[in-house]
Amino acid sequence: MNIQNIIAKKRDKKELSKEEIEYFVTNYTNGTIPDYQASALAMAIYINGMSYEETTNLSMAMAHSGDILDLSSLGTVVDKHSTGGIGDKVTLILAPLISSLGIPVAKMSGRGLGYTGGTIDKLESISGYQTNISIEQFMKNVKEIGISVIGQTLNLAPADKKLYALRDSISATESIPLIASSIMSKKIAAGASKIVLDVTCGSGAFMKTLPQAVTLAETMKKIGELAGKETICIITNMEEPLGKAVGNSLEVIEAIKALKGEMQEDVKEVVFELGAYMLKLAGKGNNIEENKKQLLEQIQNGKAYEKCKQWIKQQGGDINYLEDLETWPKAKFIIPVLANEDGYITKLDAQKVGEISMRLGAGRIRKEDSIDKDVGIILEKKIGDKVNKGDVLAYIHSNKEEVAKIEEKNLQNTYIIGEKSDRKNNILKII
Ligand code: URA
């Protein structure tokens, strides 16, 4: 077997065998196959696609390229993963909320790249929070307090780690077989027995249309089931950012407020839908509407917030940041973005908002860039809201005045004001 023949086969739209896929994954992970040949194969897959069988074989080969966690001693662990979005603080709210109901949360999250955010960057904006604790400490935390969230520091699906960075650098990210195998390899390696996937759809997501999102969801569900892991996909709207805050500490503050009972409606819809299905998979209730009531109660009785404090403290975070939101450092320049006409917000392109936030310093243009945790955007108006000329649409939080001025104009232009229009439902489909 050799890699040139494998590349040529995919270039010529032929199906790769399990052995050929395993050969590629093993030899790319150990460095025998160089990046330029892996790039050629990734691009051939991007252009010509893969069958379900090939995608499943790629997922399994990448899952087995490193360690596979055994979480069986923790009981039924239900994992959650999002395909990526803007203002997506769902894990920060859902993890303690689910844990407060006695369901173990043992979660590995990622960092943001490009215009999409990452939970680990957000958590690191809490002073002292450790994202790279040992596997022993991780398991101990889950056993003792029912929750731990860490970064991808363990040797889980290393083939995906390499391939994902490579795809990002050659514009081969938005491919259904490549995304499905990337996510499912990590989920299989991370050891949970059940999985709820948030498949985002819209301008700020990798899947721009509903049919694309449905195909991705169906592909991942099938892979999950072939791996013996019950999987539910919830397709959610990412046409505009989720909630009000975009940017690391700003999103953590919004999540803390949500856990204290002040949750934005769109965030609530997504958190409760995902949470209700996580409860179902954990065997805590088959009725989705009843499950949502259980979740609401955990917010109202303060137990979800208490669990959050316990979790953050256990991982070294300073809980003063949770108790007193005035503790958070603020960006030097907080500049309002004003409406320049009367009407209704008809469009607020999530990708453009994500790109503005990234240029303010909240995200990384390159993998090695550092981020400014205090900067970002607070969206005061969202799609469907009525505005009058001069109203504040949003606030730019920046540490650089010049950048803030440029992005203020960009954000103003991103808001499209027109005739009254309805806000889209945030839950588009369950698969
Ligand atoms: N998230 C992942 O983990 N991988 C992808 O390919 C896309 C989103």
Side-chain angles (χ1 to χ4, degrees):
M1 213 174 286
N2 75 57
I3 185 66
Q4 283 97 327
N5 291 346
I6 295 174
I7 297 168
K9 219 171 152 185
K10 191 40 73 187
R11 178 200 63 198
D12 297 339
K13 301 191 172 71
K14 298 200 179 104
E15 199 164 328
L16 301 179
S17 69
K18 185 168 183 273
E19 291 69 30
E20 286 165 332
I21 290 172
E22 283 171 357
Y23 174 88
F24 162 67
V25 170
T26 307
N27 289 294
Y28 181 49
T29 310
N30 69 23
T32 311
I33 294 176
D35 274 349
Y36 59 85
Q37 288 178 318
S39 302
L41 183 59
M43 191 53 85
I45 295 171
Y46 182 93
I47 293 168
N48 293 327
M50 274 184 147
S51 66
Y52 270 126
E53 200 175 338
E54 286 176 293
T55 309
T56 304
N57 288 334
L58 181 58
S59 309
M60 296 312 270
M62 291 205 295
H64 287 91
S65 63
D67 300 332
I68 303 264
L69 277 190
D70 179 4
L71 301 181
S72 56
S73 63
L74 302 175
T76 304
V77 176
V78 184
D79 205 351
K80 173 259 165 195
H81 196 91
S82 159
T83 57
I86 319 298
D88 181 351
K89 64 277 300 173
V90 172
T91 295
L92 299 172
I93 305 166
L94 201 47
L97 177 54
I98 289 292
S99 171
S100 75
L101 282 162
I103 300 165
V105 172
K107 181 152 175 54
M108 247 141 291
S109 287
R111 292 190 185 279
L113 188 62
Y115 59 83
T116 63
T119 301
I120 289 303
D121 292 328
K122 293 171 199 177
L123 282 171
E124 283 180 353
S125 62
I126 304 172
S127 177
Y129 188 94
Q130 297 298 310
T131 55
N132 60 351
I133 57 177
S134 67
I135 181 68
E136 291 76 23
Q137 188 64 46
F138 173 67
M139 296 291 278
K140 189 165 171 271
N141 289 356
V142 183
K143 281 187 184 144
E144 276 177 19
I145 63 162
I147 179 167
S148 187
V149 180
I150 60 172
Q152 283 163 341
T153 44
L154 308 174
N155 183 33
L156 297 180
D160 171 63
K161 216 177 196 170
K162 271 184 99 171
L163 194 59
Y164 187 66
L166 185 75
R167 285 164 54 212
D168 189 56
S169 69
I170 60 165
S171 298
T173 302
E174 290 101 336
S175 146
I176 289 173
L178 292 175
I179 294 175
S181 54
S182 164
I183 291 178
M184 294 312 288
S185 63
K186 283 187 287 243
K187 294 296 98 181
I188 293 165
S193 47
K194 319 244 176 178
I195 305 165
V196 172
L197 297 171
D198 179 357
V199 181
T200 51
C201 173
S203 78
F206 291 129
M207 298 294 106
K208 306 291 181 201
T209 67
L210 189 57
Q212 287 174 337
V214 168
T215 308
L216 176 61
E218 286 173 349
T219 308
M220 292 195 289
K221 190 175 168 85
K222 256 193 193 163
I223 298 169
E225 278 158 13
L226 283 169
K229 294 176 190 291
E230 195 177 349
T231 303
I232 290 183
C233 297
I234 305 194
I235 302 182
T236 61
N237 178 28
M238 192 45 76
E239 211 51 69
E240 65 176 339
L242 192 66
K244 287 180 77 164
V246 180
N248 298 285
S249 57
L250 296 175
E251 289 188 43
V252 177
I253 294 169
E254 184 177 340
I256 297 165
K257 285 185 183 165
L259 286 162
K260 288 180 176 177
E262 194 190 316
M263 196 170 343
Q264 299 302 307
E265 276 311 310
D266 56 346
V267 177
K268 199 186 275 178
E269 261 185 79
V270 175
V271 165
F272 283 10
E273 196 75 31
L274 289 165
Y277 277 95
M278 289 175 84
L279 292 190
K280 183 174 173 179
L281 291 190
K284 300 274 182 183
N286 275 327
N287 184 316
I288 294 302
E289 292 314 309
E290 286 300 320
N291 291 357
K292 287 183 189 170
K293 282 190 199 145
Q294 278 194 66
L295 294 166
L296 180 63
E297 207 180 308
Q298 293 302 101
I299 300 272
Q300 286 170 342
N301 64 21
K303 289 190 179 159
Y305 174 61
E306 281 306 313
K307 183 54 75 179
C308 183
K309 279 201 296 189
Q310 209 183 5
W311 157 41
I312 300 299
K313 190 166 175 212
Q314 183 86 357
Q315 277 189 241
D318 180 351
I319 57 166
N320 279 327
Y321 281 78
L322 277 66
E323 293 286 67
D324 179 6
L325 295 178
E326 292 305 311
T327 311
W328 289 86
K330 289 192 175 57
K332 283 198 206 116
F333 305 96
I334 300 177
I335 297 183
V337 178
L338 305 181
N340 49 16
E341 57 183 309
D342 296 345
Y344 290 85
I345 311 297
T346 56
K347 197 164 164 40
L348 178 58
D349 187 301
Q351 178 169 343
K352 287 190 184 152
V353 176
E355 285 167 352
I356 292 169
S357 172
M358 182 181 73
R359 291 193 296 267
L360 288 168
R364 296 181 186 79
I365 297 172
R366 287 163 310 158
K367 222 174 155 45
E368 55 282 7
D369 290 347
S370 59
I371 55 168
D372 184 341
K373 61 188 175 51
D374 302 328
V375 303
I377 300 162
I378 296 290
L379 303 164
E380 294 295 343
K381 301 286 180 194
K382 305 268 306 268
I383 294 176
D385 288 345
K386 185 176 186 315
V387 290
N388 292 317
K389 188 172 176 182
D391 281 355
V392 175
L393 297 171
Y395 290 96
I396 297 266
H397 289 232
S398 174
N399 279 321
K400 294 184 187 138
E401 196 170 14
E402 275 315 297
V403 178
K405 280 187 187 150
I406 296 167
E407 299 307 341
E408 177 206 338
K409 276 276 150 277
N410 288 334
L411 188 55
Q412 192 180 45
N413 292 335
T414 302
Y415 272 97
I416 309 295
I417 299 174
E419 298 287 302
K420 188 171 170 42
S421 69
D422 287 335
R423 182 175 262 153
K424 235 181 174 174
N425 193 343
N426 282 296
I427 308 301
L428 304 178
K429 209 172 168 69
I430 316 275
I431 288 179

